[in-house]
Amino acid sequence: MPHITVDYSAELAAVFDRRAFAEELHPLVVEAVDSPGVCKMFFRPAAETFIGGRDEAAFVHVDIGLLRGRPDGQKARLSEAVLALLDTHLPEESAGGPVRSVEVRDLALSYRLRGQRAHAVTRYPHNPDSCAAAAAAPTSPASEPSLAGTISTPRAKDNVA
């Protein structure tokens, strides 16, 4: 967590330095949302793009998925910061540069993570009813993973006739 997807017009490949953008975006996102995790980022070039009936209009859209619990104002400020960062990595829009957009959204309650850093402490549990309490509570050290947001299933009883 966070998960970031950047869709962009393929024609921007030569002018959009994705590695440099990612290297600046990662710390910006982690700091803005106080995330204990690392960003996972995907870039997807779009072979064809259309904006408002204009053929082959260039665009970049950044989608940032976060665990639930961040206030809308925090997500809006992050969107603005990402747009400002995009402006430094893309040609001017007034000079025919690409349209830019950002969405910061909550990950679905079904979100799960396995693999590297999956044990990181989760400050913002998946259960939206306990988000405020979790955000205010102190966090455990990373060596003691939090069970916040974990769904436990009761064990099935043996059918004994």
Side-chain angles (χ1 to χ4, degrees), residues 65-104:
L66 305 171
L67 292 178
R68 294 175 180 269
R70 273 61 175 213
D72 288 340
Q74 184 182 32
K75 291 188 273 189
R77 285 187 299 278
L78 176 56
S79 293
E80 290 295 332
V82 174
L83 280 173
L85 182 61
L86 275 172
D87 288 345
T88 67
H89 287 272
L90 295 168
E92 295 274 335
E93 188 175 356
S94 60
V99 173
R100 303 145 170 87
S101 62
V102 177
E103 178 184 9
V104 178

Side-chain angles (χ1 to χ4, degrees), residues 36 119-123 134 136-148:
H119 65 279
V121 174
T122 301
R123 292 188 195 183
T139 58
S140 304
S143 60
E144 299 174 24
S146 169
L147 296 178

Side-chain angles (χ1 to χ4, degrees), residues 12-138:
L12 296 174
V15 296
F16 184 27
D17 184 344
R18 295 169 301 283
R19 177 163 298 282
F21 177 69
E23 287 173 356
E24 291 184 50
L25 182 63
H26 285 200
L28 184 150
V29 171
V30 168
E31 183 179 320
V33 299
D34 193 27
S35 173
V38 296
C39 296
K40 278 68 91 193
M41 186 175 229
F42 306 94
F43 286 92
R44 298 187 300 203
E48 293 182 279
T49 57
F50 304 93
I51 298 174
R54 296 182 349 225
D55 290 352
E56 298 301 320
F59 83 95
V60 176
H61 175 74
V62 179
D63 177 83
I64 302 172
L66 305 171
L67 292 178
R68 294 175 180 269
R70 273 61 175 213
D72 288 340
Q74 184 182 32
K75 291 188 273 189
R77 285 187 299 278
L78 176 56
S79 293
E80 290 295 332
V82 174
L83 280 173
L85 182 61
L86 275 172
D87 288 345
T88 67
H89 287 272
L90 295 168
E92 295 274 335
E93 188 175 356
S94 60
V99 173
R100 303 145 170 87
S101 62
V102 177
E103 178 184 9
V104 178
R105 62 176 176 77
D106 292 335
L107 292 168
L109 290 173
S110 61
Y111 172 78
R112 300 293 183 272
L113 175 64
R114 181 171 287 131
Q116 184 180 13
R117 302 267 320 206
H119 65 279
V121 174
T122 301
R123 292 188 195 183
Y124 299 91
H126 295 285
N127 180 349
D129 296 333
S130 60
C131 287

